[in-house]
């Protein structure tokens, strides 16, 4: 083995040890304004459950978009599941995203389709055989508590139900990582707790879960790792942490 090969192997091993998500001194500067991320170094291990909190504008959604490869870093390195995202070619992005499930505050469902179709659609995109789709979709809908709602149009559902559909859609392809950007931002307290409970169950079955949230009460009650961001940097990262007051 040549020296170059040896160095490459050593680096790969390091990235693997750091976990499924690894950022090294990442900066993101949009064409307008000051840096949205200004030197983020962070490792998240396989199977972790992590909350990301911080004021509005602190860079949380930018961080999520980098992990999804919706954006690329201005400088620094982003690794997800061993892939260096700066090196990922356009045509490789869809395959990369199969490892990721994602949920947003505003659900982003197909509102003219029913519940079943919204979830089945995610499977068709990745060319799952029809027979498997017919088996997987009901199973995942049962997991999120929507077994009886297949045929409902998503616009006829409550917010909590819509977020469950979004969650089922995110999970049906069995991603290794689930990213949720303020998933309870539009929900009442009862539904917020239920969605967070589902996220915890998903995590317990082995999926790495990263949740951006403003829900102080839930963060403080769940005793997970809490990463606090402020103005594009991480100001605190604590296991069993609490929601830290701003200013
Ligand atoms: P958060 O999710 O924590 O509220 P964001 O990541 O959305 O923060 O934003 C971080 C900073 O980057 C903010 O100052 C925001 O105005 C800016 N920003 C976000 N998206 C864009 C964009 N597409 N173009 C320019 N600036 C942006
Ligand atoms: Mg945001």
């Amino acid at each position: 083995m040549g020296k170059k090969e040896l160095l490459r192997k050593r680096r790969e091993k390091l990235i693997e040890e750091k976990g499924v998500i690894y950022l090294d001194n990442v900066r993101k500067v949009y064409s307008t304004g000051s840096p949205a991320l200004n030197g983020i170094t962070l490792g998240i291990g396989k199977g972790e459950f992590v909350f990301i909190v911080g004021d509005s504008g602190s860079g949380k959604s930018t961080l999520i978009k980098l992990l999804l490869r919706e954006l690329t870093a201005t400088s620094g390195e982003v690794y997800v599941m061993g892939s260096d995202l700066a090196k990922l070619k356009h045509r490789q992005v869809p395959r990369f995203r199969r490892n990721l499930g994602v949920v947003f505050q505003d659900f982003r469902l197909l509102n003219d389709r029913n519940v079943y179709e919204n979830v089945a659609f995610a499977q068709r995109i990745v060319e799952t055989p029809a027979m498997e789709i017919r088996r997987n979709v009901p199973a995942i809908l049962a997991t999120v508590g929507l077994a009886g709602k297949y045929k409902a149009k998503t616009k006829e559902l409550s917010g909590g139900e819509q977020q469950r559909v979004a969650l089922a859609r995110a999970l049906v392809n069995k991603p290794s990582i689930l990213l949720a950007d303020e998933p309870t931002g539009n929900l009442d307290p009862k539904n917020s707790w239920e969605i967070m409970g589902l996220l915890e169950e998903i995590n317990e079955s082995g999926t790495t879960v990263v949740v951006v949230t403003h829900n102080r009460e839930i963060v403080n009650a769940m005793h997970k790792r809490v990463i606090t961001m402020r103005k594009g940097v991480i100001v605190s990262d604590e296991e069993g942490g609490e929601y830290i007051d701003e200013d």
Side-chain angles (χ1 to χ4, degrees), residues 55-62 65 105 181-182 212 214:
D55 331 359
S56 170
S58 59
K60 307 179 301 294
S61 293
T62 301
K65 285 174 187 163
Q105 176 171 0
D181 193 353
E182 304 201 27
V212 171
H214 280 118

Side-chain angles (χ1 to χ4, degrees), residues 75-95:
S75 64
E77 294 177 302
V78 182
Y79 288 88
V80 177
M81 315 255 333
S83 295
D84 178 345
L85 298 198
K87 292 198 181 122
L88 212 61
K89 300 215 169 39
H90 248 303
R91 61 179 166 76
Q92 296 173 310
V93 171
R95 177 165 291 275

Side-chain angles (χ1 to χ4, degrees), residues 82-116:
S83 295
D84 178 345
L85 298 198
K87 292 198 181 122
L88 212 61
K89 300 215 169 39
H90 248 303
R91 61 179 166 76
Q92 296 173 310
V93 171
R95 177 165 291 275
F96 161 73
R97 291 220 179 107
R98 287 185 198 184
N99 294 316
L100 307 173
V102 58
V103 179
F104 300 97
Q105 176 171 0
D106 55 0
F107 321 134
R108 303 192 189 178
L109 300 172
L110 303 167
N111 285 319
D112 55 338
R113 310 275 183 94
N114 67 26
V115 168
Y116 183 95

Side-chain angles (χ1 to χ4, degrees), residues 28-37 53-65 71 181-182 212 214 229 232:
K28 177 67 193 179
V29 187
Y30 291 104
S31 54
T32 51
S34 50
L37 297 177
V53 306
D55 331 359
S56 170
S58 59
K60 307 179 301 294
S61 293
T62 301
L63 176 60
I64 296 290
K65 285 174 187 163
L71 295 174
D181 193 353
E182 304 201 27
V212 171
H214 280 118
M229 293 181 62

